Amino acid sequence: MNGLQIVLPREKFKSLKDKDFEALIEECLPKVDETLKAEREEILRKKVKVLEEKLREMKEEIEELREFYEKALRDKKLMMKERNRLRNENEELRKKLEEKKRELENLHES
């Protein structure tokens, strides 16, 4: 078992020399317990504040990510639409090119 060492000034020691230490400790325990509870509550309040701040920051980040995701979806739809437009345009140009090729081949054959 660990020991407890208390350092007191000489005058205080003399005044306590004839007192019942167990009774004195028993008398002080409720005050010590109350102090420890108050300190623990203060520590917990500080932790709660920190956690609330982190939660607020995380909510902001989630909202930013949600906005980014929604914008990315809109951009994707726009890009898909543009890709389809270009695909159709490319197909039309390919057909026109084939027609021109055939026309040129027919001219050369004639």
Side-chain angles (χ1 to χ4, degrees), residues 61-79:
E61 288 178 17
I62 287 172
E63 186 58 34
E64 288 174 9
L65 287 171
R66 183 178 290 120
E67 289 172 7
F68 177 80
Y69 178 74
E70 289 171 357
K71 184 181 181 306
L73 282 178
R74 286 191 306 271
D75 289 349
K76 179 183 176 186
K77 287 178 185 176
L78 181 67
M79 296 304 276

Side-chain angles (χ1 to χ4, degrees), residues 30-77:
K31 293 177 185 176
V32 170
D33 190 43
E34 195 175 310
T35 301
L36 289 173
K37 284 180 183 176
E39 287 177 357
R40 179 162 174 75
E41 285 178 13
E42 183 62 29
I43 289 168
L44 291 175
R45 270 191 229 104
K46 288 178 182 177
K47 285 184 178 181
V48 165
K49 263 187 181 177
V50 169
L51 291 173
E52 285 174 341
E53 178 63 23
K54 284 183 181 180
L55 179 62
R56 187 186 60 74
E57 290 172 4
M58 289 172 70
K59 284 181 178 178
E60 288 175 3
E61 288 178 17
I62 287 172
E63 186 58 34
E64 288 174 9
L65 287 171
R66 183 178 290 120
E67 289 172 7
F68 177 80
Y69 178 74
E70 289 171 357
K71 184 181 181 306
L73 282 178
R74 286 191 306 271
D75 289 349
K76 179 183 176 186
K77 287 178 185 176

Side-chain angles (χ1 to χ4, degrees), residues 94-106:
R94 198 173 286 133
K95 286 178 185 176
K96 286 181 182 179
L97 180 63
E98 286 299 319
E99 274 184 42
K100 293 281 186 185
K101 272 184 168 179
R102 273 188 242 122
E103 286 177 9
L104 283 174
E105 285 176 3
N106 287 339

